[in-house]
């Protein structure tokens, strides 16, 4: 499934990355939010390969995604935003994995992140579960959404996205899924995530604007967990905050020491007339 709103400059790439997989049992759905930038014409160009598409106003990204999720009838589900795209062979890799692991329901692969003035980086999650996804103080605690594939059966258990959320709707869904099982991580790069000025992650304050909602979702989820988990979560967060404070203090102290030493050396040179200090040598 792909959701789109006025992303015509990226949409063709996303669609082609799905169709060019040549996967034989594909149900491809596109939900467009009433775009006015030529996106509809791009969708129509490929409509013979689509199971369903629509272009109409919605209540935001979560609402658009829910429209598509309700229509999905396949065994394995994923969504691809219009400005992301799959790696060649990604769907075959995912399908083969699910065939070999019929009792598993959630798979996450690596994701290439680039653009927005950042250095290209491949995110390779090694462990994804309730513990890792509630540690919102860590980098990359949210697994890369374009590289996540899940069974329809687990979606039926946890329900669709919370439309009240604008930035953390995927994290909320993954946390609900994590109640049933951990994600299985594979090293293969499955998708590409581009940061640009028209995207949520590339506009305004970038990922900084996600942080408040991420934290709210994590803390709400933790509050409903058993006491032991809540204690562990609080201790981990406290240890991180304390460690970060110590590191900052050491850095500040070192900076002050070097500043004071600099003053002392300059004063000594001025008083003695020595221009250079060194072992067994001094120039006047």
């Amino acid at each position: 499934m792909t959701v789109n709103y006025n992303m015509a400059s990226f949409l063709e790439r996303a669609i082609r990355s799905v169709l060019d997989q040549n996967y034989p049992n594909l149900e491809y759905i596109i939900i467009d939010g009433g775009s006015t930038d030529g996106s509809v014409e791009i969708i129509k160009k490929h409509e013979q390969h689509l199971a369903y598409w629509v272009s109409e106003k919605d209540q935001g990204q979560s609402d658009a995604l829910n429209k598509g999720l309700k229509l999905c009838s396949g065994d394995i589900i994923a969504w691809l935003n219009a400005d992301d795209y799959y790696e060649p062979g990604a769907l075959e890799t995912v399908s083969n994995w699910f065939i070999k692991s019929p009792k598993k329901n959630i798979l996450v692969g690596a994701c290439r992140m680039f653009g927005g003035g950042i250095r290209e980086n491949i995110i390779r999650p090694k462990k994804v579960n309730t513990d890792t996804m509630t540690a919102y103080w860590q980098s990359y605690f949210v697994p890369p959404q374009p590289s996540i594939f899940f069974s329809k059966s687990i979606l039926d258990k946890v329900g669709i996205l919370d439309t009240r959320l604008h930035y953390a709707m995927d994290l909320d869904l993954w946390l609900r899924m994590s109640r049933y099982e951990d994600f299985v991580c594979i090293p293969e790069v499955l998708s590409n995530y581009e940061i640009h000025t028209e995207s949520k992650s590339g506009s305004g304050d970038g990922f900084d604007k996600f942080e408040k909602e991420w934290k709210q979702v994590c803390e709400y989820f933790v509050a409903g967990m058993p006491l032991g988990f809540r204690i562990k979560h609080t201790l981990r967060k406290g240890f991180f905050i304390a460690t970060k404070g110590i590191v900052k203090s050491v850095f500040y102290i070192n900076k002050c020491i070097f500043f004071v030493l600099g003053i002392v050396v300059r004063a000594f040179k001025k008083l003695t007339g020595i221009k250079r200090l060194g072992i067994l040598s001094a120039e006047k």
Side-chain angles (χ1 to χ4, degrees), residues 193-213:
Y193 184 116
E194 182 174 0
I195 298 175
H196 56 92
T197 56
E198 298 174 55
S199 65
K200 285 183 181 178
S201 55
S203 61
D205 297 325
F207 282 108
D208 290 346
K209 59 181 175 287
F210 287 66
E211 291 180 357
K212 182 179 179 180
E213 198 165 279

Side-chain angles (χ1 to χ4, degrees), residues 20 32 38 43 57 59 64-65 67 93 100 105 113 122 148 156 177 202 239 279:
D20 289 349
D32 180 79
I43 296 170
K57 289 185 178 181
Q59 301 303 311
L65 286 166
K67 289 181 182 180
T93 297
K100 293 176 182 178
N105 291 288
M113 182 177 289
I122 295 180
I148 295 179
D156 290 341
M177 288 183 177
F239 177 77
I279 299 174

Side-chain angles (χ1 to χ4, degrees), residues 53-68:
W53 76 273
V54 68
S55 180
E56 61 185 15
K57 289 185 178 181
D58 52 50
Q59 301 303 311
Q61 187 181 12
S62 298
D63 181 44
L65 286 166
N66 282 343
K67 289 181 182 180

Side-chain angles (χ1 to χ4, degrees), residues 12 88 131 159 168 212 228 252 255 274 281:
E12 179 77 28
D131 276 343
K212 182 179 179 180
Y252 179 74
K255 190 174 180 180
I274 295 175
S281 66

